[in-house]
Amino acid sequence: MFGCVLPGHPPQFNFTQIGESRWAITFCLPLSSDKIVVFLTGQLPLPAGSGTAVYISKAEESSFEYLGHINNEKPSGLFTIPIHLVNNVHPHTLCVGLSVESIDTLRNLEEGSAHQHTLLLSRKAELAQQIGRDL
């Protein structure tokens, strides 16, 4: 039902179903990029009015970060792996989690993610201003 591609590595299809509407895959590779592609294989369409949320985490941690979503109308997505999870010197095991959710839930996740991104940019701008004043 799902697949993923890490640049420089063959496609992966061995997602494990961990709940009625949840799947996960783990990998421990030196990453040549901070990108990952997640896609629907086309074997089964998602239920009408739903999509699949894409999350990522270190395998040994229980908190996942929302990356975005795919759905029947947009069956693949290119997602950025957060920089703190990309470590080519000492690769660690990462887990990609997928969860089939209603479109309304996905909209809420997108809005929350956009708000957090705006806050992060604001904090970076404040830090840059402080550094500029200290020079």
Side-chain angles (χ1 to χ4, degrees), residues 70-122:
I70 57 175
N71 57 37
N72 290 331
E73 291 73 38
K74 185 187 121 194
S76 65
L78 175 65
F79 304 102
T80 300
I81 299 171
I83 195 70
H84 67 276
L85 295 176
V86 178
N87 186 340
N88 289 322
V89 177
H90 303 289
H92 44 259
T93 304
L94 296 178
C95 180
V96 173
L98 306 176
S99 179
V100 176
E101 305 286 351
S102 71
I103 294 298
D104 289 337
T105 298
L106 294 173
R107 282 190 193 118
N108 289 336
L109 286 169
E110 291 290 333
E111 289 173 9
S113 180
H115 179 70
Q116 284 188 340
H117 182 71
T118 301
L119 288 175
L120 179 63
L121 290 177
S122 174

